Amino acid sequence: MHRYFIEMAYNGSHYHGWQIQPNAITVQEVISDALYKALGQNVNVVGAGRTDTGVHASYFVAHFDLEEEIEDVPHILHRLNRILRNDVVVYSLFEVNEELHSRFSAISRTYHYYLKTEKTPFFNDISYRPTFKLDMDKMNEAARTLFNYTDFTSFSKLHTDTKTNNCKVVQAEWIKNGDVWVFVIKADRFLRNMVRAIVGTLLEVGKGKLSVQEFEQVIKAKSRAEAGTSVPPQALFLVDVEYPKDAFDSIDKKPPFRVD
């Protein structure tokens, strides 16, 4: 059995997330279909995680298994990108050890959420413009409290099939670049809707509706009803999936991964 990893990116505007579902087009579906056309056989594509409807990934990882080795990887990669629509691209395709899993071997994921503080006729499909003034210092103070907790039930979509709502957040901060504010959050795993719910609640802090202490109380409540409204999905990007440093040691040609 040969296991292959693919590095890819997609604009999620026209997709109902990554995960295949009935009566809705998803990224997993179009990738599976493209691989079938390129390889001449059905494969089960497993992603590094799920993204919700309308959410983008500037960096995503998936894997699939084949009985036989791919003889001409560059040719298959070229065919894939000719088959795929312009809103999905595969950057690389390479073989890995069978034990390596795109989802379960990953040690962290990083998301960015983009705010535009000034009105613009551009980028509205990949950013969110709040109509109120925000206090970034207060939002960053509240964001730092995320490091003190592991149970993020308050920021999870209800009635999911996950076994635990525990996550370890290792980075959470707002970064300003002109009229673009970016919320950067990195954790070992994320719950469904977690980032958008956190951002929505931090905006409540930023506009003075919640204090930093009240933000912490939201976390402690372990109730989605206590948190703020989720922000729109179009401004959210999965930007990195990280694996252990030694994950690719046995591969002759190292993939263009960032495995800091």
Side-chain angles (χ1 to χ4, degrees):
M1 186 66 69
H2 298 270
R3 174 159 293 180
Y4 288 88
F5 264 37
I6 53 177
E7 293 179 298
M8 54 180 289
Y10 55 85
N11 182 319
S13 298
H14 299 108
Y15 298 100
H16 290 257
W18 162 263
Q19 194 80 10
I20 285 180
Q21 53 185 291
N23 305 317
I25 186 170
T26 66
V27 182
Q28 186 181 30
E29 178 185 346
V30 299
I31 285 290
S32 297
D33 183 61
L35 283 167
Y36 171 73
K37 293 175 180 176
L39 298 170
Q41 57 182 296
N42 285 313
V43 295
N44 179 36
V45 183
V46 180
R50 295 178 179 179
T51 54
D52 293 332
T53 298
V55 174
H56 317 290
S58 59
Y59 183 78
F60 193 84
V61 182
H63 80 258
F64 61 90
D65 296 330
L66 289 175
E67 290 289 343
E68 298 181 359
E69 184 177 2
I70 298 175
E71 294 184 1
D72 191 342
V73 170
H75 173 68
I76 296 299
L77 187 62
H78 178 71
R79 287 196 65 188
L80 279 174
N81 282 309
R82 284 180 61 93
I83 294 167
L84 289 165
R85 302 186 335 184
N86 288 336
D87 53 8
V88 181
V89 60
V90 176
Y91 291 124
S92 69
L93 169 66
F94 52 92
E95 188 171 2
V96 299
N97 295 329
E98 288 184 43
E99 295 79 14
L100 201 61
H101 194 284
S102 60
R103 178 183 175 188
F104 298 126
S105 298
I107 59 175
S108 74
R109 287 91 172 161
T110 303
Y111 281 90
H112 287 180
Y113 193 88
Y114 292 87
L115 298 184
K116 288 280 287 184
T117 59
E118 300 294 335
K119 185 176 181 180
T120 173
F122 309 109
F123 311 116
N124 293 316
D125 57 342
I126 55 172
S127 64
Y128 171 57
R129 187 176 77 89
T131 57
F132 37 80
K133 290 187 177 181
L134 295 167
D135 186 330
M136 179 180 280
D137 291 337
K138 285 294 183 184
M139 291 196 299
N140 267 327
E141 185 181 348
R144 286 191 289 271
T145 68
L146 294 168
F147 304 142
N148 302 327
Y149 302 92
T150 55
D151 189 328
F152 293 103
T153 301
S154 292
F155 302 121
S156 174
K157 186 174 182 178
L158 299 175
H159 311 303
T160 65
D161 56 1
T162 184
K163 294 180 180 179
T164 175
N165 287 337
N166 287 352
C167 310
K168 178 62 176 175
V169 176
V170 296
Q171 182 180 7
E173 61 179 330
W174 288 92
I175 299 172
K176 183 178 181 181
N177 183 10
D179 71 333
V180 178
W181 293 17
V182 185
F183 180 60
V184 181
I185 184 166
K186 178 179 178 180
D188 59 344
R189 62 189 292 267
F190 287 90
L191 309 174
R192 292 190 66 183
N193 199 54
M194 177 174 165
V195 181
R196 291 167 56 203
I198 288 176
V199 172
T201 312
L202 286 173
L203 293 186
E204 293 294 299
V205 175
K207 62 184 180 181
K209 291 292 183 67
L210 282 180
S211 67
V212 174
Q213 293 71 29
E214 288 170 329
F215 180 83
E216 282 202 80
Q217 290 303 315
V218 169
I219 303 173
K220 293 177 181 178
K222 301 178 184 179
S223 169
R224 181 66 186 91
E226 297 298 316
T229 303
S230 295
V231 286
Q234 81 275 3
L236 181 60
F237 285 74
L238 174 63
V239 301
D240 196 20
V241 183
E242 189 176 2
Y243 294 87
K245 292 181 179 179
D246 60 353
F248 307 101
D249 279 355
S250 62
I251 300 174
D252 292 334
K253 183 178 181 181
K254 294 293 177 68
F257 260 53
R258 185 172 68 80
V259 288
D260 297 335

